[in-house]
Amino acid sequence: MPDRPVPSVRPARAGDEDTLARIDRDTWSPLHAVSPAPEPPYQPFFDERHAVDDHLVAELAGAVVGYVRLGSPTPLASNAHVRQIQGLAVTDGARGTGAGRALVRAAVAEAGKRGARRITLRVLGHNAPARALYESEGFTVEGVQPQEFLVGGQYVDDVLMGRSL
């Protein structure tokens, strides 16, 4: 049995923008998205709210296969000790390779490097695979906003998760 490639994670570069934008569009799903499916003309992936430095990318066999966006939950100084996972996507072809787990672990490590004491995220209640991944990496449910979003004609919960660093 041949060895499977192992995903690696690195900081995003400006040249990753087109690839990350394509991954973001290709992985859009009502399982995790509360905004409508992207349609042309597409917005830039990197912008004033989502800088290159806010992203880590997963590579598998030399190809970019996913990303995690790490930001601040608010602009308040009193909340500066918290970082938030604000997006995570892995291509269909890289699912099951450990790329998602590698990205979560890298985001946790990066949050610590940036001086955070906590890391949080929001995930839709019906997204069982993502919730299981986060729980296996030490995140716990810290709150639920019942029926917070109407997605695909169904009301879904917004689950707030977090962990200390």
Side-chain angles (χ1 to χ4, degrees):
M1 178 184 216
D3 289 335
R4 286 177 54 172
V6 176
S8 61
V9 177
R10 63 165 174 80
R13 299 185 284 257
D16 294 323
E17 182 165 25
D18 290 343
T19 301
L20 297 180
R22 180 187 44 76
I23 290 170
D24 198 53
R25 290 190 303 269
D26 291 351
T27 59
W28 183 94
S29 164
L31 185 63
H32 57 77
V34 296
S35 56
E39 294 185 15
Y42 301 116
Q43 298 298 311
F45 186 81
F46 299 132
D47 59 27
E48 58 281 346
R49 287 188 9 190
H50 309 107
V52 174
D53 293 345
D54 296 334
H55 297 81
L56 300 170
V57 300
E59 291 184 323
L60 195 61
V64 173
V65 297
Y67 74 88
V68 63
R69 177 178 288 151
L70 188 62
S72 297
T74 73
L76 302 170
S78 59
N79 192 224
H81 64 286
V82 180
R83 290 294 176 274
Q84 186 176 57
I85 292 176
Q86 297 178 337
L88 174 73
V90 174
T91 63
D92 288 342
R95 295 232 167 111
T97 65
R101 183 172 306 280
L103 285 165
V104 171
R105 288 179 178 173
V108 169
E110 184 65 22
K113 286 182 199 168
R114 293 183 186 192
R117 296 176 47 94
R118 288 182 33 76
I119 185 168
T120 63
L121 58 89
R122 298 169 67 172
V123 60
L124 295 179
H126 65 271
N127 191 346
R131 290 180 63 183
L133 170 62
Y134 298 134
E135 287 172 4
S136 74
E137 290 299 320
F139 287 82
T140 60
V141 174
E142 297 180 339
V144 177
Q145 295 177 301
Q147 300 182 1
E148 186 71 5
F149 296 104
L150 179 62
V151 178
Q154 304 251 346
Y155 289 101
V156 296
D157 297 347
D158 189 17
V159 179
L160 313 175
M161 300 181 80
R163 64 169 274 190
S164 295
L165 300 177

